[in-house]
Amino acid sequence: AQKVTQAQTEISVVEKEDVTLDCVYETRDTTYYLFWYKQPPSGELVFLIRRNSFDEQNEISGRYSWNFQKSTSSFNFTITASQVVDSAVYFCALSETSGTYKYIFGTGTRLKVLA
Amino acid sequence: EPEVTQTPSHQVTQMGQEVILRCVPISNHLYFYWYRQILGQKVEFLVSFYNNEISEKSEIFDDQFSVERPDGSNFTLKIRSTKLEDSAMYFCASSGTVKGNQPQHFGDGTRLSIL
């Protein structure tokens, strides 16, 4: 069965520190998609990245980077030089290609960046 | 950029009353979803809808829930007799295909408060 685990419930860092949010997933599908979403205090879900299971290249976008390792079923997210505006809840999600491509979300990691 | 719109942003309803949450998906999208997020918890899949019928539903989506696409633009979630535990944020999402070529686009959510 599909499952997404975000073991870190809450992380606090001081501004300018780097922080890594962990995501481990389980799936029986060989083809699937992984996502990260940011949920600021206002509540909306902000799309950050999508990665398909065939593409294990790491990706960098500004201060954000993602490390996808199929061998360990992990899709970790690093914020470099964190800023107060990065404070939010971050969700990792899995979408399998069998079925209706629904998203299975992890329980989220609350990131607090202190000035 | 086109977006998914949800109304109202906040709905307060007495327990036992019926409530209808409305969503306008992106106009050329074909697949529609509802998700629920109880305060402080993860986002959970409720139902997916394609070709005017439910394609998948979760165990949360019991007989008190229904979905409808009454015209070419709206996608609604109805809760027939609300309970206190239905208090949550409800997100609508749409995608163009389920081939995974396009991620789901989420609305900003409707916060439902049952008194």
Side-chain angles (χ1 to χ4, degrees):
Chain A
Q2 66 270 40
K3 186 179 175 183
V4 176
T5 300
Q6 294 181 255
Q8 304 150 309
T9 307
E10 183 169 314
I11 301 175
S12 291
V13 298
V14 176
E15 210 171 15
K16 297 189 180 137
E17 285 185 357
D18 299 347
V19 58
T20 295
L21 310 182
D22 298 333
C23 173
V24 174
Y25 62 92
E26 294 175 31
T27 178
R28 281 195 279 252
D29 279 22
T30 54
T31 306
Y32 50 88
Y33 289 82
L34 295 165
F35 305 83
W36 276 95
Y37 282 84
K38 174 181 180 179
Q39 188 174 47
S42 47
E44 72 273 21
L45 292 168
V46 179
F47 169 75
L48 295 178
I49 190 171
R50 175 183 55 147
R51 172 67 68 219
N52 76 54
S53 52
F54 292 112
D55 183 1
E56 288 195 68
Q57 269 193 329
N58 291 331
E59 180 153 340
I60 298 175
S61 175
R63 296 184 296 107
Y64 295 170
S65 62
W66 291 269
N67 179 254
F68 176 34
Q69 294 203 339
K70 214 167 173 179
S71 59
T72 56
S73 297
S74 65
F75 185 44
N76 296 336
F77 172 33
T78 298
I79 302 174
T80 303
S82 58
Q83 300 175 0
V84 172
V85 293
D86 295 328
S87 297
V89 180
Y90 290 85
F91 290 97
C92 180
L94 163 72
S95 175
E96 296 176 325
T97 55
S98 57
T100 60
Y101 284 71
K102 65 178 184 289
Y103 286 13
I104 303 298
F105 285 85
T107 49
T109 297
R110 181 177 299 278
L111 175 65
K112 292 185 176 177
V113 182
L114 308 171
Chain B
E1 184 179 316
E3 56 183 34
V4 176
T5 56
Q6 290 186 244
T7 55
S9 55
H10 191 190
Q11 173 82 44
V12 181
T13 300
Q14 291 288 331
M15 187 172 59
Q17 296 294 305
E18 174 183 286
V19 66
I20 297 176
L21 309 183
R22 302 182 194 280
C23 169
V24 179
I26 294 173
S27 63
N28 62 346
H29 281 185
L30 303 174
Y31 299 85
F32 313 107
Y33 306 82
W34 282 102
Y35 294 83
R36 178 183 84 174
Q37 184 184 28
I38 293 171
L39 185 63
Q41 297 187 23
K42 68 177 178 181
V43 180
E44 300 173 288
F45 167 75
L46 287 178
V47 65
S48 58
F49 191 86
Y50 168 68
N51 201 24
N52 282 320
E53 59 182 26
I54 291 173
S55 45
E56 186 176 354
K57 58 184 181 179
S58 71
E59 57 274 12
I60 302 169
F61 194 88
D62 61 23
D63 291 345
Q64 68 162 343
F65 290 93
S66 61
V67 289
E68 201 175 41
R69 190 155 160 80
D71 52 42
S73 58
N74 290 285
F75 178 51
T76 62
L77 173 69
K78 183 194 289 187
I79 309 175
R80 252 178 284 283
S81 177
T82 50
K83 304 173 192 152
L84 292 176
E85 54 264 37
D86 293 326
S87 295
M89 179 79 97
Y90 289 82
F91 291 102
C92 172
S94 70
S95 68
T97 77
V98 288
K99 299 299 182 189
N101 296 335
Q102 300 171 26
Q104 291 176 26
H105 294 247
F106 283 84
D108 286 348
T110 293
R111 185 170 298 284
L112 177 63
S113 300
I114 306 300
L115 305 179

